[in-house]
Amino acid sequence: MKPSKHKAVLNDTICAISTPFGNGAIAIIRLSGPETFAICNTIFVQNKETIDFNNTLSHTLHYGKLFMEDQVLLDEVVIGIFRNPHSYTGEDIAEISCHGSIYIQEQLMQLLIRKGARAAKPGEFTLRAFLNGKMDLAQAEAVADLIASESSSAHKLAISQVKGGFSKDIRQLRTELLEFSSLLELELDFSEEEVEFANREKLTALLTRIRIKIDYLLASYSFGNVLKRGIPVTIIGKPNVGKSTLLNILLNEDKAIVSEIPGTTRDTIEDKIIINGICFRFIDTAGLRETTDKIETMGVERTYEKINEASIILYMFDLTESNVNDIKNSLQEIKKLSGNEEVKIILIANKIDLLVETPKSFKELSNFDTVYISAKRKENIHLITEKLIKTVKETNMQFDGNIVTNARHYDVLTKSLQEIDETLNGMKQQQSNDLLAINIRSALHYLGEITGDITTEDILDQIFGKFCIGK
Ligand code: GDP
């Protein structure tokens, strides 16, 4: 079911600057739609002759001069031609590579608009690709993730979804369920005659299979999201043990710092660093510096939240001022506060520079993952990053199939699971066919929303509105 509003939109020709805003060596301006070649014909001259792009081969490049009205030369450009349906959008596309001056880009855009094109809205090229059946909705969403990916793990996830692995699974299950649904509906038509077209055992087996699949996908979400947004790491410990010093080394001295972004929760700041292609997100370090000044003050709600959010906790202590029992007690406390059985705690024993040798009692900590460092002298910092990587790789083993990273998918999968469960319960209780059919129809509806077999304008606007212009 494709919304009519969007279909009507396909009749016109859109244009956008597809490279990032600003001066660059080159910029690419993209046109898509039925008038693409006609517009290019009127502005482009190759070897002093006009050229008819309606008769050139697809996937060819053309070098020449680009003129505005009154024969004013704007630039020397290369135009790439992609003929429908063999293009990104499925329509006729021209990609004009011009020199990357902002002036040229703006003049060219204005020229194209005067010639009849319209400035594209965010994501409109990809929306057209979806409406023309070049990709399904989950794949289109993965394109946005691909553009946004900052680390190799996020990139790997997005690439696998662009290829469509995830939605293929969902569509397969949906098709099987659809068959049963029509058999059930058929039974409703013959309700007087007590016939059974939909074999109940097979239906239960299918519903159970779908349930397992959805359960797995839902479970993969927190892991997938962690990979996409960065693995949350929190450093905690008593005051003056060296937390800020370590954090500064990890964040500032690492050449791979990518950004300082406003956190997802209220007033927090998150810093991301990429180590070996994996993105780590150090959360609320500023807040924690105030609130964890004493381990006893961990009752502060925000600290709870941060400990809760962390996949990895770096618990830091000062070797010269700690005793093993205190550390063990603190660890127990943290585990309790964390509420996350899976949380990985790495002990960071700091200030080795102040000791000639590690006191014997610390051998008792050998059961824990412990790293001995000097933050001040930047000694053994690599051991921390190695431990971080190792921890992630160990967790990685759990999910080797498709992974859900998108909040919309998570939401819709949760709803379809509820419907599947209701159907299964209903069957156990010998519920009437019309009630079962209602639940199955809802489940089909939600599963269809993932792949885009069922869409509404709201869903499309929400998804494509988040894209950058030109994609
Ligand atoms: P925080 O309160 O846990 O954030 O601790 P800071 O990072 O502010 O460090 C507290 C003090 O310990 C500062 O004076 C640091 O210079 C010092 N310090 C940090 N790491 C080391 C270390 O490895 N060796 C020594 N000797 N001093 C350190």
Side-chain angles (χ1 to χ4, degrees), residues 238-245 350-351 353-354 374-376:
K238 291 183 181 177
N240 289 322
V241 296
K243 298 183 295 296
S244 328
T245 313
N350 192 27
K351 310 199 183 178
D353 55 296
L354 297 179
S374 167
K376 195 170 184 174

Side-chain angles (χ1 to χ4, degrees), residues 251-264:
L251 296 177
N252 299 333
E253 307 232 333
D254 195 305
K255 299 288 179 286
I257 291 179
V258 282
S259 62
E260 186 177 277
I261 55 159
T264 44

Side-chain angles (χ1 to χ4, degrees), residues 181 183-191 200 203 419 422-423 426-427 430-442:
S181 167
L183 291 175
L184 267 184
E185 310 264 347
L186 203 61
E187 282 179 22
L188 287 176
D189 291 343
F190 290 86
S191 54
R200 294 300 186 269
L203 179 56
E419 298 296 340
E422 291 209 9
T423 321
M427 287 173 70
Q430 313 268 320
Q431 227 171 40
S432 67
N433 274 3
D434 43 354
L435 288 178
L436 293 180
I438 290 174
N439 288 132
I440 292 187
R441 248 181 267 144
S442 302

Side-chain angles (χ1 to χ4, degrees), residues 158 248 258 380 403 410 415:
N248 285 335
V258 282
N380 291 351
I403 290 173
Y410 183 81
K415 288 178 181 152

Side-chain angles (χ1 to χ4, degrees), residues 168-421:
K168 210 170 102 197
D169 276 7
I170 298 285
R171 179 164 286 139
Q172 167 73 28
L173 293 172
R174 188 172 180 273
T175 312
E176 287 180 52
L177 192 57
L178 202 57
E179 273 172 37
F180 271 102
S181 167
S182 25
L183 291 175
L184 267 184
E185 310 264 347
L186 203 61
E187 282 179 22
L188 287 176
D189 291 343
F190 290 86
S191 54
E192 316 261 295
E193 298 164 41
E194 297 217 354
V195 284
E196 186 181 285
F197 294 117
N199 179 308
R200 294 300 186 269
E201 257 174 52
K202 283 190 180 159
L203 179 56
T204 311
L206 173 65
L207 289 169
T208 312
R209 224 161 15 96
I210 295 178
R211 210 196 168 286
I212 292 170
K213 181 77 201 172
I214 296 180
D215 237 2
Y216 169 89
L217 288 172
L218 287 174
S220 77
Y221 176 70
S222 58
F223 176 73
N225 219 29
V226 151
L227 278 193
K228 191 163 114 181
R229 295 178 52 217
I231 291 144
V233 184
T234 305
I235 305 179
I236 58 174
K238 291 183 181 177
N240 289 322
V241 296
K243 298 183 295 296
S244 328
T245 313
L246 174 64
L247 198 69
N248 285 335
I249 295 171
L250 287 172
L251 296 177
N252 299 333
E253 307 232 333
D254 195 305
K255 299 288 179 286
I257 291 179
V258 282
S259 62
E260 186 177 277
I261 55 159
T264 44
T265 47
R266 299 183 307 277
D267 53 346
T268 60
I269 297 287
E270 302 177 351
D271 283 296
K272 285 185 185 177
I273 56 169
I274 292 173
I275 309 168
N276 280 14
I278 299 170
C279 183
F280 291 90
R281 186 162 52 92
F282 286 83
I283 42 174
D284 197 19
T285 49
L288 279 171
R289 248 172 261 152
E290 296 150 26
T291 51
T292 53
D293 268 3
K294 284 198 171 65
I295 199 99
E296 305 93 68
T297 62
M298 272 197 225
V300 179
E301 195 189 324
R302 207 148 57 107
T303 318
Y304 274 120
E305 268 174 32
K306 293 303 136 195
I307 291 180
N308 251 310
E309 201 181 316
S311 294
I312 302 175
I313 291 173
L314 301 181
Y315 176 68
M316 196 168 191
F317 58 89
D318 179 340
L319 263 177
T320 63
E321 289 192 353
S322 309
N323 75 62
V324 172
N325 284 334
D326 282 353
I327 294 168
K328 284 183 176 169
N329 289 339
S330 299
L331 288 177
Q332 296 256 314
E333 184 82 358
I334 292 166
K335 277 207 169 141
K336 241 195 283 164
L337 287 178
S338 144
N340 171 8
E341 289 288 306
E342 305 289 306
V343 69
K344 177 79 188 166
I345 302 176
I346 300 171
L347 304 190
I348 313 283
N350 192 27
K351 310 199 183 178
I352 50 171
D353 55 296
L354 297 179
L355 295 176
V356 183
E357 61 174 22
T358 313
K360 286 204 173 55
S361 62
F362 281 86
K363 292 235 161 62
E364 282 183 45
L365 291 176
S366 60
N367 285 340
F368 300 93
D369 251 329
T370 313
V371 183
Y372 293 85
I373 67 159
S374 167
K376 195 170 184 174
R377 293 197 185 165
K378 298 179 192 164
E379 272 171 36
N380 291 351
I381 306 298
H382 67 285
L383 297 179
I384 300 181
T385 50
E386 280 166 22
K387 277 259 191 297
L388 288 172
I389 296 289
K390 189 169 149 257
T391 307
V392 176
K393 295 221 158 123
E394 281 166 5
T395 330
N396 233 337
M397 314 290 280
Q398 289 174 16
F399 290 100
D400 49 5
N402 288 317
I403 290 173
V404 174
T405 57
N406 182 299
R408 188 184 74 83
H409 298 167
Y410 183 81
D411 179 47
V412 183
L413 282 170
T414 308
K415 288 178 181 152
S416 44
L417 187 65
Q418 278 164 2
E419 298 296 340
I420 299 280
D421 279 345

